[in-house]
Amino acid sequence: MTGTTDLDVREGVDRETVETVQNMGSYKYGWNTEIEMEYAPKGVNEDIVRLISEKNGEPEWMTDWRLEAYRRWITMTEPKWAMLNYPEIDYQDQYYYARPASMQEKPKSLDEVDPKLLATYEKLGIPLKEQMILAGVEGAENAPAEGRKVAVDAVFDSVSVGTTFKDELAKAGVIFCSISEAIRDHPELVKKYLGTVVPATDNYFATLNSAVFSDGSFVYIPEGVTCPMELSTYFRINAENTGQFERTLIVAEKGSSVSYLEGCTAPKRDIAQLHAAVVEIVVLEDAEVKYSTVQNWFPGDEDGKGGIYNFVTKRADCRGARSKIMWTQVETGSAITWKYPSCILRGEESQGEFYSIAIANNWQQADTGTKMVHLGKNTKSRIVSKGISAGQAQNTYRGLVSMHPRATNSRNYTQCDSLLIGDKCGAHTVPYIEVKNTSSRVEHEATTSKVDDDQLFYCRSRGMDEEEAVALVVNGFCREVLQALPMEFAMEAQALVAISLEGSVG
Amino acid sequence: MLKINNLHVKLEEEDKQILKGLSLEVPAGEVHAIMGPNGSGKSTLSYVLSGRDGYEVTEGEASLDGEDLLDMDPEVRAAAGLFLAFQYPVEIPGVGNMTFLRTAVNAQRKARGEAELTAGEFLKEVRAKAAELQISPEMLKRPVNVGFSGGEKKRNEILQMAMLSPRMCIMDETDSGLDVDAMRLVSEGVNALRSPDRSFLVITHYQRLLDHIKPDVVHIMSNGRIIKSGGPDLALEVEHNGYGDLLAEAD
Ligand SMILES: Nc1ncnc2c1ncn2[C@@H]1O[C@H](COP(=O)(O)OP(=O)(O)O)[C@@H](O)[C@H]1O
Ligand SMILES: [Mg+2]
């Protein structure tokens, strides 16, 4: 009986894909919301850093932390080792702070909310009640909920505009709020953990983020608590020429568990926009964190104009024994992707998993992978990477597996598959493997193949058009990773796989 | 139903002529068999009719109910009611058999302007038809043709045919590699589909299949052409005497 139910659900998922593909345009999120914005002047300097800190109502220790990062950043140079080609970024030609003007005062009812902001949420598929809460409408928490239960924190340009289901989460002791709220309301927790996984000095982009991050999400799961619902953040870049620098901090205390989803969209623009986020995750004894991303920032147009430059530092520190982190990412957007979600396996018997789908079409370039740093005994890691290249795109898997001397009896398994659609794109695999003890084992398998004409013809001879056929075959290629996603996201991800490959054949 | 007139086909990439003036007509409701030595172009004919890339039609025409087939994309031919049971069914890793079937059924319905089947309707139908072909629920979940035995692949082709209810069914050596029981299942599946407005073109090497699926007409194909057509007896003749005499006669 269980098997049957399972099958029914799966079928529903795939049907959804096909429908979504048929109903969507080439970039679903390519609209732009014309909302009145409040900007800080262009460029970055100590004054801008202070201004961001002040706008967020931060205490002095936080301002100092940012300033220290800024002073460090100006001594650093942008890394160039990735297989990415893009014009020089002018860091002084960006806005580092922007927020919807309507957020300055909380509205009393939906009527007072900028209708365009609401339209934005609707297009993102956020249920009405959650829309009300996000818009900050008083009493919205008590409105009846419809549909799925996922707590959402929405970050609109640089500012968190609201978090849903806060009360319900609070009952379980879970803290889910914007990082600026956390700095104000839970300074002891933020002080204890911020920058301990990704230090402010870590790398060029992370250091810039440390200086200028304007908002992001904070999650705290107390000891022994299983978070009662999925937590989700929507990041959206809207204002033109705005860099978005969000900062996420997740702390899972002993024996706790949480599943966190991150979705990203940005409107179509012909100028490239900078995005440099940092995510830090602390996983203590026996705790488990599952972090899933569906990244669909604007990839640029068919001629390679515009798009998001995405330089992200994501790292989880499995500090406790038997702790577990699972990263799952579906990277379909961005003109440039520079991203290596990593696992520091410090606790004995801790486990890290990385499941990735990276799709690069047209002129997109992706350099993405993971780092598995085994420090503790009997630690285990697993990497499953599926790279799809189409058009003129370049897709690189870059992964480090490192077994330290004390990480005895540890294991890694890496499976890295590349699929090429057409003959003008490229796929590259760059594995780094270091084993510094004799009892650990590292296994690496890699394949590169072209999308199979016989498979496409077989699908078409059964009635599917060419794009549907490609979507089906590619979704099959990605199946292992799609299955690692929470069900809600799996549907969206399958649809995205199809959409992002539109125009790649014929 | 299906009309092929003086069809000449060469490979796109090389200067190799495979079909050399093939003519054939299958009226509605009839079952026609094509027999012929290996390499005579039977599979090529089935691929060209269903729109596979790699071939060039240099002369002649093919139509389905008066509509020119050769100009249509493969999926348009499928929606128009043409189906090919492949000699070598293709494996699609990671795509559930069920998902594949459902996507295909609904793609065709959509193309014809019909409402798509709901999950419930589809499941009910597919389970019933799979049971008739002794295809287990487990096989429906597995990726399309991956790890299927030869016989399972062929039965799976017939399941697709049953689900898509095409008007013109072409079967390319569906009987090869089948044991006696599988042959009976497949034949019963096909016979159940026979109807006054559905036609079959059955490509086979063996008389065996034609004992189960009684053809109205048997064509002998050699070197890119039909060299002789006749009643079911023609298949028996081939079975007993081989192609030798027929080929000599044609020369
Ligand atoms: N793609 C191809 N490339 C090269 N030769 C081909 C190709 N397709 C068919 N042929 C040749 O055309 C002839 C007919 O093949 P086929 O249609 O498979 O015959 P049959 O199905 O009757 O055995 C054979 O000589 C075969 O080798
Ligand atoms: Mg053949």
Side-chain angles (χ1 to χ4, degrees):
Chain A
M1 211 43 224
T2 322
T4 312
T5 316
D6 184 27
L7 180 66
D8 293 355
V9 176
R10 285 275 148 66
E11 286 308 311
V13 170
D14 294 311
R15 176 186 166 77
E16 191 88 12
T17 307
V18 175
E19 279 169 2
T20 316
V21 175
Q22 284 157 350
N23 297 335
M24 280 181 175
S26 58
Y27 182 69
K28 179 190 174 193
Y29 303 101
W31 33 266
N32 152 34
T33 312
E34 280 165 29
I35 289 172
E36 221 183 301
M37 299 295 291
E38 187 199 17
Y39 291 96
K42 259 187 188 176
V44 57
N45 52 47
E46 293 202 6
D47 287 342
I48 291 287
V49 173
R50 281 198 188 90
L51 177 102
I52 294 168
S53 188
E54 188 194 304
K55 285 276 180 194
N56 285 348
E58 289 172 0
E60 205 179 322
W61 62 266
M62 196 63 234
T63 317
D64 292 343
W65 195 82
R66 287 171 176 276
L67 284 170
E68 207 174 305
Y70 174 74
R71 288 171 196 143
R72 173 76 179 212
W73 181 70
I74 52 178
T75 69
M76 298 166 92
T77 48
E78 201 181 309
K80 297 285 183 195
W81 43 260
M83 212 176 285
L84 300 170
N85 264 310
Y86 53 93
E88 207 61 42
I89 298 169
D90 183 352
Y91 290 87
Q92 297 303 338
D93 194 33
Q94 306 275 335
Y95 289 106
Y96 286 81
Y97 187 82
R99 70 168 172 179
S102 66
M103 294 311 295
Q104 284 166 19
E105 274 171 43
K106 288 253 164 182
K108 295 274 178 299
S109 79
L110 266 186
D111 300 339
E112 284 180 34
V113 179
D114 188 334
K116 287 175 186 128
L117 189 60
L118 286 181
T120 302
Y121 297 143
E122 210 178 297
K123 285 179 198 161
L124 284 169
I126 301 175
L128 187 70
K129 177 180 172 173
E130 289 174 57
Q131 286 180 35
M132 289 168 70
I133 298 168
L134 290 174
V137 175
E138 281 179 4
E141 286 278 359
N142 303 321
E146 1 103 45
R148 69 198 176 121
K149 223 178 194 186
V150 178
V152 180
D153 180 37
V155 177
F156 195 80
D157 285 315
S158 303
V159 213
S160 168
V161 291
T163 314
T164 61
F165 290 112
K166 265 187 164 168
D167 290 350
E168 205 163 328
L169 289 168
K171 272 180 219 144
V174 171
I175 304 172
F176 180 37
C177 61
S178 73
I179 191 97
S180 48
E181 260 179 281
I183 293 166
R184 288 191 300 267
D185 302 345
H186 308 282
E188 68 300 335
L189 286 173
V190 177
K191 253 187 188 165
K192 185 169 174 192
Y193 293 108
L194 186 77
T196 64
V197 183
V198 179
T201 53
D202 194 79
N203 70 72
Y204 189 78
F205 300 109
T207 305
L208 175 61
N209 174 287
S210 303
V212 301
F213 74 84
S214 9
D215 220 329
S217 303
F218 175 74
V219 175
Y220 179 80
I221 316 288
E223 189 171 335
V225 171
T226 297
C227 188
M229 64 186 88
E230 301 262 2
L231 302 184
S232 173
T233 300
Y234 282 100
F235 291 115
R236 173 153 178 89
I237 298 179
N238 204 54
E240 206 154 351
N241 256 344
T242 323
Q244 181 150 318
F245 307 92
E246 72 271 345
R247 183 112 197 170
T248 300
L249 177 59
I250 299 175
V251 179
E253 288 279 10
K254 282 184 188 173
S256 69
S257 74
V258 63
S259 170
Y260 184 92
L261 324 169
E262 177 198 273
C264 323
T265 61
K268 288 179 175 175
R269 299 256 184 231
D270 55 8
I271 301 165
Q273 288 174 283
L274 180 64
H275 176 255
V278 171
V279 175
E280 295 182 273
I281 304 179
V282 178
V283 198
L284 299 169
E285 231 171 88
D286 295 301
E288 239 183 272
V289 176
K290 182 171 172 162
Y291 192 107
S292 314
T293 304
V294 173
Q295 185 269 109
N296 186 31
W297 299 118
F298 179 50
D301 65 16
E302 296 78 31
D303 303 320
K305 265 189 119 183
I308 302 294
Y309 288 1
N310 191 28
F311 300 98
V312 181
T313 305
K314 291 184 169 178
R315 198 173 300 154
D317 191 351
C318 286
R319 287 189 191 163
R322 295 166 305 278
S323 57
K324 203 173 160 189
I325 172 74
M326 178 170 161
W327 294 105
T328 307
Q329 61 173 30
V330 179
E331 303 280 321
T332 65
S334 294
I336 299 284
T337 302
W338 183 98
K339 180 183 174 189
Y340 318 92
S342 306
C343 306
I344 311 296
L345 303 173
R346 200 182 302 275
E348 284 181 18
E349 289 174 50
S350 60
Q351 289 184 36
E353 291 175 29
F354 174 75
Y355 294 92
S356 169
I357 296 170
I359 299 183
N361 191 6
N362 295 318
W363 297 91
Q364 282 177 275
Q365 301 173 62
D367 194 302
T368 184
T370 183
K371 290 183 197 172
M372 293 292 176
V373 181
H374 293 251
L375 301 175
K377 275 184 214 163
N378 302 313
T379 46
K380 272 193 205 147
S381 65
R382 181 180 172 83
I383 299 170
V384 178
S385 161
K386 306 279 178 178
I388 297 111
S389 322
Q392 323 264 343
Q394 295 297 324
N395 203 335
T396 303
Y397 167 80
R398 190 181 300 277
L400 167 77
V401 176
S402 173
M403 301 284 184
H404 282 240
R406 264 178 299 184
T408 49
N409 286 310
S410 295
R411 298 277 177 272
N412 162 265
Y413 171 74
T414 300
Q415 170 78 47
C416 187
D417 299 317
S418 304
L419 186 69
L420 301 169
I421 302 173
D423 48 19
K424 294 191 189 75
C425 53
H428 317 276
T429 303
V430 191
Y432 305 89
I433 298 169
E434 312 167 347
V435 183
K436 294 184 180 143
N437 68 63
T438 51
S439 56
S440 291
R441 210 171 63 214
V442 174
E443 262 181 276
H444 179 94
E445 285 176 34
T447 66
T448 301
S449 53
K450 287 198 124 191
V451 73
D452 188 85
D453 286 341
D454 287 336
Q455 289 176 352
L456 296 184
F457 173 64
Y458 192 61
C459 294
R460 294 181 73 189
S461 77
R462 299 306 184 240
M464 297 169 220
D465 66 29
E466 202 168 7
E467 281 185 347
E468 232 176 334
V470 170
L472 194 77
V473 169
V474 172
N475 266 313
F477 172 77
C478 299
R479 182 165 194 96
E480 245 181 299
V481 177
L482 289 170
Q483 281 179 329
L485 285 169
M487 191 53 85
E488 296 271 2
F489 251 27
M491 290 187 228
E492 191 179 345
Q494 288 201 0
L496 272 182
V497 166
I499 291 162
S500 55
L501 287 169
E502 271 178 14
S504 64
V505 288
Chain B
M1 172 89 52
L2 179 68
K3 259 190 201 160
I4 306 166
N5 182 36
N6 192 31
L7 194 62
H8 286 72
V9 171
K10 69 179 274 289
L11 291 176
E12 217 167 52
E13 305 273 286
E14 329 168 15
D15 216 11
K16 182 170 178 178
Q17 198 73 30
I18 301 176
L19 300 185
K20 304 169 182 171
L22 184 138
S23 298
L24 184 69
E25 195 171 326
V26 186
E30 291 194 3
V31 174
H32 286 214
I34 296 187
M35 302 179 82
N38 277 330
S40 39
K42 303 183 297 295
S43 291
T44 303
L45 173 66
S46 69
Y47 284 144
V48 169
L49 290 175
S50 44
R52 190 183 196 221
D53 281 340
Y55 306 100
E56 193 185 322
V57 176
T58 52
E59 217 186 317
E61 52 272 339
S63 63
L64 185 66
D65 285 335
E67 276 194 82
D68 181 8
L69 269 180
L70 303 176
D71 264 356
M72 300 178 191
D73 279 333
E75 60 271 25
V76 179
R77 301 181 198 203
L82 186 83
F83 180 90
L84 167 64
F86 282 53
Q87 181 174 4
Y88 304 108
V90 180
E91 299 182 1
I92 310 181
V95 176
N97 209 12
M98 200 73 131
T99 302
F100 179 80
L101 260 174
R102 178 127 176 256
T103 310
V105 167
N106 281 333
Q108 291 202 13
R109 294 182 71 100
K110 212 172 154 214
R112 290 194 291 256
E114 299 161 11
E116 293 183 17
L117 289 183
T118 65
E121 291 164 342
F122 172 81
L123 276 172
K124 213 172 135 195
E125 200 178 326
V126 79
R127 285 195 181 128
K129 291 189 164 143
E132 282 168 22
L133 289 160
Q134 295 188 8
I135 289 173
S136 66
E138 188 261 342
M139 208 173 118
L140 286 175
K141 279 198 223 181
R142 269 154 55 187
V144 181
N145 292 321
V146 177
F148 286 23
S149 70
E152 283 174 335
K153 283 184 183 169
K154 297 299 175 75
R155 273 186 280 147
N156 198 40
E157 292 291 288
I158 301 305
L159 175 64
Q160 292 178 18
M161 188 162 97
M163 288 301 294
L164 293 167
S165 12
R167 289 182 302 146
M168 180 69 232
C169 310
I170 305 172
M171 297 165 56
D172 191 0
E173 295 202 26
T174 301
D175 52 339
S176 3
L178 291 189
D179 60 27
V180 182
D181 289 337
M183 175 94 81
R184 189 180 43 76
L185 283 173
V186 164
S187 314
E188 280 169 5
V190 170
N191 287 330
L193 287 173
R194 287 182 76 157
S195 87
D197 43 27
R198 180 175 287 132
S199 311
F200 292 83
L201 187 59
V202 181
I203 297 170
T204 180
H205 272 303
Y206 308 104
Q207 154 65 23
R208 214 162 51 131
L209 180 70
L210 304 179
D211 284 340
H212 297 281
I213 306 172
K214 294 267 183 298
D216 297 293
V217 179
V218 174
H219 306 276
I220 307 298
M221 184 168 173
S222 167
N223 197 19
R225 274 178 311 160
I226 302 296
I227 54 166
K228 186 165 186 173
S229 301
D233 291 350
L234 193 51
L236 287 169
E237 196 185 320
V238 168
E239 183 84 354
H240 292 128
N241 308 332
Y243 293 110
D245 293 351
L246 289 167
L247 296 184
E249 202 179 303
D251 281 343

